[in-house]
Amino acid sequence: MILFKLIEDKSIFFLGKRTFRTWSRRRASAVQTKPAVKPVEVVAKDSKSTQAASPTQIGIPYNRLTVGIPKEVWPNERRVSLTPGVTAALVKKGFQVRLEEGAGLSAKFRDADYEAKGAKVTNQKEVFESDIILKIRQPLENEINLFKPNSTLISFIHPGQNQALLQKLAEKQLTVFGMDCVPRISRAQVYDALSSMANIAGYRAVIEAAGHFGRFFAGQITAAGKVPPAKVLIIGGGVAGLSACGQARNMGAIVRAFDTRAAVKEQVESMGAEFLTIKMDESGEGAGGYAKEMSPEFIKAEHDLFAKQAKEVDIIITTALIPGIKAPLLVLKEHIESMKPGSVVVDLAAESGGNIETTRPGEIYTYNDVVHIGLTDLPSRLPTQSSTLYANNVSKFLLSIGEKDHFYINLDDEVVRGSIILQNGKNLWPPPPPKHHATTTKAPVVKKIEPKAVDHFRETMKSAMIYSGGLGSLVVLGAVAPNPAFTTMATTLSLAGIVGYHTVWSVTPALHSPLMSVTNAISGITAVGGLLQMGGGLYPSNSVEALAATAAFISFINISGGFLVTQRMLDMFKRPTDPPEHMYLYGIPAAAFVGGYIYAMAKGYPEIHQMAYLGSSLCCVGALGGLSNQKTSRLGNSLGIIGVGSGLVATLGMMNPSAEVLTQMAAAAIGGSAIGTVIAKKIEITDLPQLVAAFHSWRSSSTYMFSNLRP
């Protein structure tokens, strides 16, 4: 019965057919690749003899392979191709790992660390007798004869520039994979050692530039003066360029970047840099995510752009490379000669000819007071980090060559085919262009999701009940109010709360201190209370008038000092590239408002005082709203000055004091304003927040005095 059900289920035949096709392709591929070690056929046998065996597994089991990690012998090379952590992962898979003695010491990995993870520490000869050799730099002349014939090498090779090396490796019948040839496709990102090293090179380029630059990267405002931020130009928006953009921006510099590929613009801007453009309709998009060689007209336009930028920036970092050819020459000698003394240039393309005409590969030297950094071993200057990333890349690439704990080369795999250079001595580089199969796909069926029905009656009723409760509470408050003063204060409190909430809620965090400062200045309008109680002539005639004059005097300190402190705080955010400001023009509406009020008052219009108070109040509210945003912050400060000034003028107009009392008021106003101005100007920038708090306390003391005044 069970057998009948299996036969009736037709899917079992399709499963068997698919398994057979997969096995056939692997079999053909394995025969084609001819691995160095004789492949082993592994047959999985079931405990029951009645069941069929699984298909033969083609390839070399990991437990029959040795992996060698030689010490890098290139000058100044401190990296190692495998770290202890990754060694443990390969040993767990079954590989036998051999490490040359001292190979990881320069990268801060001890031999004992490798031995603890299962590696065998041995001499150079035994390491090179391994089946698979993992290196970083391509082999030198004296290393080639150490390789075992028919072994496998995985390393940076740069085949377009090392044809003589490849010929000698072919004579040893080696199979060679280039980590620099791994195709840039989504599946191969985890093997992309070029990007890993470029990321480190971009970061290190900024560190090297900072070490040779004579100033801070970040702008600062200190007790000793203002320090402008450094300006950095980065040419090339690949992995190295973006890494440099991010690091320079994190260090506080003003960063500009250029790339021939328009798609890079968003990536550059996401790192906080300004993207420079050329007004030419030519794209630099090349194959494999790299830039292509541009036309002579475009290159001339580039040179014109860089000539202009060289006069402005302090640091230039170039990262432009095109695979297979000499690095493009972008920064000319005359550009360097126009740079400011003490400037720094870093050429990440120095090893491939350089993007800067005056670069000396492998050297740091000064030309025309401009420091040139042409180092070709930037990743090696962070050996621990570089080794860690490279070990992850190369180990995952090794494990991708084959499957199910077996090593075999499948040339139908686009990652394997794109990165293999030699197979048993036969040249397979460059790889054929990728095949694009025309396929017709059905448009995906999008299931329409019905929107959830909304009960509009219920939603409206809910909102109506909320408003009913709020308005009903006002009726209750009106019924139980003890006197008219209660309702007046409740009205003022409610309106002030609503206006304050909508004004201050969206304030930018950087403007919290300026907003508090201008709020304190506006609250100095409490000087009106002191003015109303002042009297007696040129001098106060009693204690009440003396307290009133003192309170008004303190309030004027708060008003003048508060607005000036706000202006100084806002100036801290001003950049050299910001457009000019003409805030003095707001004196026109101030003069028109105050002049119109005085004229109307002279004509005897009785309601002009209340309208003047309304205008003053609106300007003060506008000041608070303006201080919530960088673009309108300076306008907000100006509106605050207009609001407080017009409010004081309206108070004097309503009082119509005698000449003697007016003189006393003017003395309090001028004296307090002078003291507030001097304090606000003399205080250091770093102490401005504390000064704001001090003004706040003075305003509180004047308010306390007002509360104790008795006419």
Side-chain angles (χ1 to χ4, degrees):
M1 189 66 178
I2 296 175
L3 179 62
F4 175 76
K5 293 296 290 184
L6 289 174
I7 296 174
E8 187 179 29
D9 187 359
K10 296 180 181 180
S11 61
I12 194 171
F13 294 107
F14 293 105
L15 179 61
K17 185 177 180 181
R18 183 173 60 187
T19 304
F20 179 76
R21 284 201 305 265
T22 303
W23 171 78
S24 300
R25 285 198 300 267
R26 292 176 179 171
R27 175 71 177 177
S29 173
V31 171
Q32 181 185 10
T33 55
K34 298 179 182 179
V37 180
K38 183 178 179 180
V40 177
E41 295 185 353
V42 180
V43 181
K45 296 182 180 180
D46 196 280
S47 59
K48 297 182 179 180
S49 59
T50 57
Q51 295 184 358
S54 63
T56 303
Q57 177 68 54
I58 301 301
I60 308 168
Y62 289 163
N63 56 19
R64 292 190 55 190
L65 289 172
T66 53
V67 175
I69 313 300
K71 185 176 182 179
E72 299 293 329
V73 294
W74 270 72
N76 301 321
E77 183 56 71
R78 296 187 290 167
R79 293 172 290 177
V80 64
S81 60
L82 220 60
T83 61
V86 176
T87 299
L90 293 184
V91 170
K92 186 177 180 181
K93 283 287 186 179
F95 289 103
Q96 303 171 47
V97 179
R98 299 173 180 173
L99 176 82
E100 183 178 348
E101 186 177 2
L105 290 180
S106 296
K108 309 305 178 186
F109 299 118
R110 298 168 297 185
D111 292 344
D113 298 332
Y114 287 94
E115 289 179 321
K117 299 299 182 180
K120 178 183 178 182
V121 178
T122 183
N123 55 45
Q124 184 186 58
K125 181 180 179 181
E126 187 175 356
V127 167
F128 274 95
E129 289 176 353
S130 302
D131 301 312
I132 301 172
I133 302 295
L134 303 182
K135 281 180 54 62
I136 294 180
R137 294 277 195 167
Q138 63 265 30
L140 294 178
E141 186 78 24
N142 57 357
E143 292 181 299
I144 296 175
N145 291 329
L146 299 174
F147 283 93
K148 182 177 74 172
N150 297 308
S151 60
T152 298
L153 169 65
I154 304 177
S155 172
F156 283 125
I157 297 295
H158 306 291
Q161 305 168 24
N162 293 297
Q163 288 297 320
L165 170 65
L166 291 179
Q167 181 61 36
K168 294 178 180 179
L169 294 175
E171 293 173 359
K172 299 280 290 185
Q173 300 296 304
L174 258 61
T175 297
V176 178
F177 290 92
M179 290 300 291
D180 51 300
C181 300
V182 172
R184 288 193 162 180
I185 59 176
S186 298
R187 183 168 68 87
Q189 287 181 353
V190 70
Y191 321 134
D192 191 358
L194 273 181
S195 293
S196 297
M197 298 303 105
N199 181 23
I200 294 173
Y203 167 87
R204 185 68 192 192
V206 177
I207 301 301
E208 292 288 340
H212 290 84
F213 186 53
R215 292 195 288 108
F216 291 145
F217 262 44
Q220 295 186 11
I221 299 177
T222 69
K226 184 176 180 181
V227 179
K231 295 180 180 178
V232 180
L233 172 63
I234 297 170
I235 302 176
V239 176
L242 292 175
S243 176
C245 282
Q247 180 58 26
R249 192 70 187 88
N250 289 340
M251 294 175 66
I254 297 174
V255 183
R256 305 167 185 173
F258 174 81
D259 196 282
T260 59
R261 298 161 291 183
V264 177
K265 181 177 185 294
E266 291 184 3
Q267 300 173 20
V268 166
E269 291 175 345
S270 70
M271 304 301 292
E274 176 190 358
F275 187 76
L276 305 178
T277 58
I278 292 176
K279 294 182 179 179
M280 287 190 68
D281 191 15
E282 182 177 352
S283 174
E285 298 288 347
Y290 292 96
K292 70 174 184 179
E293 191 171 8
M294 307 303 291
S295 65
E297 294 78 14
F298 192 93
I299 293 175
K300 183 180 183 303
E302 281 183 325
H303 287 165
D304 293 341
L305 173 66
F306 300 150
K308 179 182 177 181
Q309 292 294 320
K311 298 175 182 178
E312 300 178 9
V313 300
D314 304 299
I315 296 168
I316 296 178
I317 299 174
T318 63
T319 69
L321 284 172
I322 301 175
I325 64 174
K326 185 179 180 293
L329 186 61
L330 302 176
V331 180
L332 305 179
K333 184 177 181 180
E334 54 263 32
H335 301 164
I336 298 296
E337 292 174 346
S338 69
M339 295 185 74
K340 293 173 285 189
S343 299
V344 180
V345 294
V346 185
D347 194 344
L348 268 66
E351 193 170 9
S352 299
N355 300 136
I356 302 174
E357 188 175 7
T358 48
T359 294
R360 294 178 185 173
E363 293 186 27
I364 299 177
Y365 82 105
T366 301
Y367 170 76
N368 197 45
D369 284 335
V370 177
V371 179
H372 287 59
I373 302 175
L375 299 174
T376 58
D377 61 343
L378 289 175
S380 186
R381 289 175 178 252
L382 287 173
T384 306
Q385 187 65 70
S386 299
S387 301
T388 301
L389 295 182
Y390 184 83
N392 289 334
N393 293 139
V394 74
S395 62
K396 288 179 171 60
F397 177 71
L398 171 61
L399 295 175
S400 74
I401 307 174
E403 61 180 25
K404 295 183 179 179
D405 295 344
H406 282 67
F407 177 86
Y408 70 92
I409 299 172
N410 179 12
L411 294 181
D412 290 333
D413 185 320
E414 57 182 329
V415 176
V416 172
R417 185 63 188 90
S419 56
I420 193 169
I421 300 171
L422 296 177
Q423 185 180 20
N424 297 324
K426 180 182 177 181
N427 183 32
L428 297 180
W429 190 86
K435 297 179 181 179
H436 299 282
H437 301 284
T439 57
T440 57
T441 58
K442 292 184 179 180
V445 179
V446 180
K447 185 179 179 181
K448 186 177 180 181
I449 301 176
E450 294 294 335
K452 188 178 180 180
V454 178
D455 189 344
H456 296 286
F457 174 82
R458 185 175 181 179
E459 292 293 325
T460 307
M461 176 59 74
K462 181 180 178 181
S463 177
M465 294 306 294
I466 292 174
Y467 281 101
S468 298
L471 295 174
S473 63
L474 295 180
V475 175
V476 173
L477 283 175
V480 300
N483 50 53
F486 178 84
T487 54
T488 301
M489 288 189 292
T491 301
T492 304
L493 176 63
S494 300
L495 293 177
I498 292 173
V499 172
Y501 172 81
H502 288 286
T503 301
V504 181
W505 180 255
S506 59
V507 64
T508 304
L511 292 173
H512 282 168
S513 292
L515 178 63
M516 188 173 74
S517 177
V518 82
T519 303
N520 282 338
I522 292 173
S523 64
I525 197 69
T526 51
V528 169
L531 295 177
L532 291 173
Q533 298 294 331
M534 289 177 68
L538 293 176
Y539 303 99
S541 59
N542 53 50
S543 59
V544 171
E545 292 172 354
L547 278 175
T550 304
F553 174 77
I554 295 175
S555 293
F556 279 113
I557 295 176
N558 190 49
I559 291 171
S560 61
F563 284 122
L564 185 55
V565 166
T566 302
Q567 185 63 42
R568 291 188 65 187
M569 284 184 169
L570 295 178
D571 288 340
M572 294 171 60
F573 301 105
K574 191 173 182 180
R575 297 171 297 185
T577 56
D578 287 345
E581 296 174 342
H582 306 283
M583 304 309 296
Y584 58 87
L585 294 178
Y586 287 101
I588 297 175
F593 181 49
V594 173
Y597 166 74
I598 294 174
Y599 176 78
M601 183 185 63
K603 290 293 185 179
Y605 295 108
E607 299 301 325
I608 191 62
H609 305 295
Q610 195 61 37
M611 287 297 102
Y613 279 137
L614 176 61
S616 172
S617 301
L618 292 176
C619 286
C620 291
V621 172
L624 298 179
L627 262 295
S628 66
N629 187 281
Q630 286 276 15
K631 292 182 179 179
T632 59
S633 57
R634 299 178 191 279
L635 172 60
N637 197 37
S638 299
L639 288 176
I641 295 173
I642 296 174
V644 173
S646 60
L648 293 173
V649 171
T651 300
L652 294 176
M654 186 180 66
M655 290 178 60
N656 192 21
S658 64
E660 291 80 4
V661 174
L662 184 61
T663 302
Q664 183 189 156
M665 292 177 177
I670 294 173
S673 298
I675 293 175
T677 301
V678 170
I679 294 174
K681 283 186 175 181
K682 292 289 186 181
I683 199 74
E684 298 294 341
I685 289 290
T686 53
D687 295 328
L688 287 180
Q690 293 91 318
L691 181 60
V692 171
F695 282 145
H696 180 76
S697 64
W698 294 341
R699 192 261 303 167
S700 300
S701 64
S702 65
T703 304
Y704 175 75
M705 291 180 182
F706 298 147
S707 66
N708 287 277
L709 292 178
R710 295 290 185 272

